[in-house]
């Protein structure tokens, strides 16, 4: 049920061909003051057709509108304002949200079309960074939001597994590496070797040549180089998968940069064919002067390909393979120029599908105001951070609810929910200050607060009786009405979150709904045995459904007890 649409339809019955339904919908406003009603329609645009002043029109239109969903219709100056019937509307909404078999808020405008979401995409042999965590969490939410809108989603992990750095790593491993150490602690040891390479190369520049030559061998399919690289890749992916399991994130494809090795020639030939390649200091580039951008490097003077070469190839491959309607790259803001270049080159190639492509950037993760990074030696290991969050959650639970049966699993859900919600609650382009203490609070705008509200609502339902949808009556009071208005918004919230690729829209909505519910709960004797008991329980159940679904969309579990 959509009250704006209902009002628009009623208006359309009166206005006929004078105004299209779509146009009416866009004109309807929400009055600034509650005392002026719930919806308002301005009559200015009608004065030509009616050859009357807007004030006169509003009086005429108001007199002709009448619907069981409106308690009162009133002309207020040039506006026609309606006061919704709280009782009728709350009854309908509560029924709708409680309907079996349909997840409330699901939309179908995606029509099963494909959306490719490129997210997480860490670099092998390096620790999983805070930036990659943000990409993982934001990308996963966009994935679920897109599905909720009726799209078919393909989640791609464009693993960073190719480039000169792997030549350096091979050299470093062969020179200083110890197999057992790498086996015991792959990422940590490989990263140490990589750091050592750079330290040594600072005094001995010839090492750079060694690194380059090993990468050359790797590119040429040298067996030793290839076996080492495969090993590095395997152990890295295994390590990353522990993080993905913890977070409950899945991918449909792990085709990373190396996957495009044998596909780049074709793409380069196409650039040549379209006369887009020019030589610049021995390198092959696509000139982007007319776009006011530096050229896009396709091939270095030594013949080596680059990040952009692989991304261009990947774009063509993905369009060919998935015929995507949209393709989304969830990658930090530092790479904005790279993606602009990529999209401009595709446009020059005549690839119209570029219209559906977007770079979805996000801000930095900060600790005490400074970027949290994997600086030399000082590695912030993401897994440790997540495990810290879980153990803090465990402490909180021990304090608040020591007899909880499922403590360990609940602590995991709460700890991870806290990390995810903390990331998603602000607009993604903002920086995030990482504070375990803040994110794990049970009050305020946190994941645990939403989860706790959900669990509290679940516990009320456990004490209540079965809900019969036919017996539901509507409500008149302010606390219930506030909840109903918010429940009604959920589908719009999903659509808006999708259009902006902005999970924070959902997160903020959940905070509002949880707050409204807690106010309601503080002022209502929900379990009182009167003739509204079933209706109140149905309202509580509706809140449970939407909190649960909203959290699910953000990639967060909703425990029933905590
Ligand atoms: N591996 C890259 C990095 O860590 C991110 C890759 C993003 N995806 C892409 N198609 N370029 O910076």
């Amino acid at each position: 049920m959509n009250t704006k649409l209902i009002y628009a339809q009623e208006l359309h019955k009166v206005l006929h061909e004078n105004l299209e339904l779509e146009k009416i919908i866009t004109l309807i406003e929400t009055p600034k003051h509650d005392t002026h009603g719930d919806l308002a329609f301005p009559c200015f645009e009608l004065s030509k057709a009616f050859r009357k002043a807007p004030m006169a029109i509003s009086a005429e239109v108001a007199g002709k509108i009448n619907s069981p969903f409106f308690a009162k219709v009133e002309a207020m100056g040039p506006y026609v304002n309606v006061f919704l019937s709280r009782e009728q509307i709350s009854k309908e909404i509560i029924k709708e949200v409680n309907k079996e078999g349909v997840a409330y808020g699901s939309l179908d405008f995606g029509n099963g079309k494909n959306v490719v979401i490129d997210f997480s995409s860490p670099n092998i042999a390096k620790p999983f960074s805070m930036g990659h965590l943000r990409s993982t969490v934001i990308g996963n939410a966009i994935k679920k939001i897109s599905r909720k809108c009726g799209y078919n989603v393909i989640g791609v992990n464009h693993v960073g597994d190719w480039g000169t750095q792997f030549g350096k790593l091979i050299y470093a491993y062969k020179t200083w590496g110890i197999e057992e150490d790498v086996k015991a602690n792959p990422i940590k040891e490989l990263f140490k070797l990589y750091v050592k390479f750079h330290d040594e190369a600072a005094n001995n520049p010839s090492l750079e040549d060694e690194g380059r030559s090993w990468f050359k061998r790797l590119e040429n399919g040298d067996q030793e180089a290839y076996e080492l690289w495969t090993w590095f890749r395997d152990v890295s992916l295994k390590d990353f998968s522990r993080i993905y399991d913890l977070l409950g994130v899945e991918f449909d494809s792990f085709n990373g940069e190396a996957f495009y090795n044998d596909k780049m020639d074709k793409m380069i030939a196409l650039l040549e064919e379209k006369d887009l390649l020019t030589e610049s200091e021995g390198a092959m580039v696509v000139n982007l002067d007319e776009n006011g951008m530096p050229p896009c490097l396709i091939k270095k003077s030594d013949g080596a390909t680059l990040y952009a070469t692989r991304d261009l190839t990947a774009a063509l491959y993905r369009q060919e393979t998935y015929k995507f309607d949209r393709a989304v790259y969830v990658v930090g803001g530092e790479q904005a120029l790279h993606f602009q270049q990529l999209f401009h080159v595709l446009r020059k190639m005549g690839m119209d599908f570029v219209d559906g492509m977007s770079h979805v950037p996000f801000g930095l993760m900060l600790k005490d105001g400074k970027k949290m990074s994997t600086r030399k030696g000082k590695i912030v290991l993401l897994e440790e951070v997540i495990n810290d969050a879980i153990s803090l959650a465990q402490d909180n639970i021990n304090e608040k609810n020591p007899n909880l049966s499922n403590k360990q699993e609940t602590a995991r859900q709460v700890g991870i929910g806290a990390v995810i919600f903390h990331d998603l609650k602000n607009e993604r382009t903002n920086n995030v200050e990482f504070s375990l203490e803040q994110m794990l609070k049970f009050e305020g705008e946190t994941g645990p607060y939403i989860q706790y509200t959900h669990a509290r609502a679940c516990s009320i339902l456990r004490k209540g009786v079965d809900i019969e949808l036919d017996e539901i009556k509507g409500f008149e009071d302010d606390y219930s009405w506030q909840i109903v208005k918010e429940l009604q918004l959920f589908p719009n919230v999903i659509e808006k979150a999708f259009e902006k690729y902005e999970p924070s829209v959902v997160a903020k909505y959940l905070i509002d709904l949880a707050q409204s519910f807690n106010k309601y709960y503080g002022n209502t004797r929900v379990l009182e045995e009167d003739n509204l008991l079933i209706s109140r329980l149905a309202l509580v159940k509706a809140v449970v459904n939407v909190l649960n679904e909203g959290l699910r969309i953000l990639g967060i579990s909703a425990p029933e007890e905590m």
Side-chain angles (χ1 to χ4, degrees), residues 118 121-123 132 158-160 257 307 311 318 329 331 335 338-339:
D118 178 322
S121 310
N123 302 317
H132 295 118
H158 190 75
V159 185
E257 294 189 46
Y307 185 52
D311 254 334
R318 290 172 189 174
Y329 295 84
V331 186
Q335 294 191 28
H338 164 76
F339 285 104

Side-chain angles (χ1 to χ4, degrees), residues 37-215:
D38 298 291
L39 297 167
F41 174 74
C43 297
F44 307 105
E45 304 229 355
L46 293 168
S47 41
K48 221 158 143 206
F50 280 64
R51 292 206 215 120
K52 271 191 205 165
M55 299 260 236
I57 302 170
S58 65
E60 187 182 327
V61 172
K64 289 186 189 162
I65 287 194
N66 135 39
S67 149
F69 291 117
F70 304 154
K72 196 163 67 170
V73 184
E74 232 174 75
M76 292 192 179
Y79 288 85
V80 184
N81 290 21
V82 296
F83 295 76
L84 298 171
S85 159
R86 291 183 173 192
E87 203 198 320
Q88 289 300 323
I89 286 171
S90 55
K91 190 166 117 184
E92 288 305 314
I93 297 277
I94 295 168
K95 277 190 191 175
E96 192 175 336
V97 183
N98 279 304
K99 217 182 284 162
E100 290 286 334
V102 244
Y104 177 64
S106 297
L107 303 165
D108 56 12
F109 65 84
N111 262 318
K113 284 180 284 190
N114 283 346
V115 178
V116 174
I117 304 183
D118 178 322
F119 71 115
S120 194
S121 310
N123 302 317
I124 63 165
K126 277 197 181 175
F128 199 99
S129 75
M130 285 295 159
H132 295 118
L133 173 67
R134 292 214 66 192
S135 171
T136 308
V137 163
I138 296 168
N140 191 46
I142 294 177
K143 188 171 138 181
K144 300 201 158 152
I145 291 165
S146 308
R147 279 210 183 113
K148 185 93 178 144
C149 294
Y151 284 93
N152 178 48
V153 182
I154 299 115
V156 179
N157 195 326
H158 190 75
V159 185
D161 56 3
W162 207 249
T164 23
Q165 68 269 35
F166 299 107
K168 296 176 186 176
L169 188 61
I170 291 171
Y171 175 83
Y173 176 75
K174 284 180 61 68
T175 315
W176 308 293
I178 300 164
E179 191 177 337
E180 294 77 63
D181 291 356
V182 175
K183 278 198 169 135
N185 239 326
I187 303 266
K188 221 172 188 162
E189 291 302 318
L190 290 176
F191 187 59
K192 258 201 219 156
L193 288 169
Y194 184 72
V195 171
K196 181 162 173 80
F197 180 93
H198 283 277
D199 288 347
E200 300 282 330
N203 307 320
N204 180 3
S206 74
L207 286 192
E208 297 286 347
D209 293 332
E210 296 281 357
R212 258 193 293 277
S213 104
W214 270 103
F215 182 57

Side-chain angles (χ1 to χ4, degrees), residues 314-455:
L316 300 187
Y317 173 85
R318 290 172 189 174
Q319 177 56 28
E320 199 175 294
T321 311
Y322 306 116
K323 309 270 179 301
F324 60 75
D325 185 56
R326 298 185 183 222
V328 180
Y329 295 84
V330 186
V331 186
E334 314 88 74
Q335 294 191 28
L337 177 62
H338 164 76
F339 285 104
Q340 282 190 35
Q341 290 176 308
L342 181 71
F343 298 158
H344 277 299
V345 174
L346 288 168
R347 205 172 287 284
K348 282 189 198 302
M349 293 173 87
M351 304 296 166
D352 292 338
F353 62 77
V354 71
D355 290 337
M357 299 175 82
S358 316
H359 172 215
V360 173
F362 50 82
L364 301 174
M365 188 78 93
L366 306 174
K367 179 100 195 171
D368 304 323
K370 283 193 235 81
K371 182 176 173 183
M372 259 178 121
S373 67
T374 44
R375 270 154 298 149
K376 287 188 189 178
K378 238 199 192 171
I379 317 174
V380 187
L381 282 183
L382 182 65
E383 219 177 335
E384 285 171 16
V385 170
I386 295 179
N387 286 326
D388 285 350
I390 295 174
S391 74
L392 262 177
Q394 184 123 36
D395 294 347
N396 286 354
I397 291 171
N398 278 335
E399 191 185 307
K400 288 215 157 65
N401 191 359
N403 300 321
L404 183 70
S405 52
N406 215 353
K407 254 199 271 189
Q408 220 171 357
E409 174 58 11
T410 309
R412 200 189 64 84
Q413 295 176 332
V414 173
I416 286 169
V419 173
I420 297 178
F421 196 85
H422 186 71
D423 190 308
L424 297 181
K425 74 174 179 181
N426 294 307
E427 276 173 44
R428 59 177 155 69
T429 49
N430 290 349
N431 294 336
V432 176
E433 174 69 36
F434 190 91
S435 158
L436 277 180
E437 219 160 281
Q438 279 302 323
M439 63 176 79
L440 276 150
K441 288 211 170 107
F442 276 40
E443 296 97 40
E445 305 183 346
T446 67
Y449 169 71
I450 314 283
Q451 287 173 318
Y452 188 62
T453 305
H454 170 267

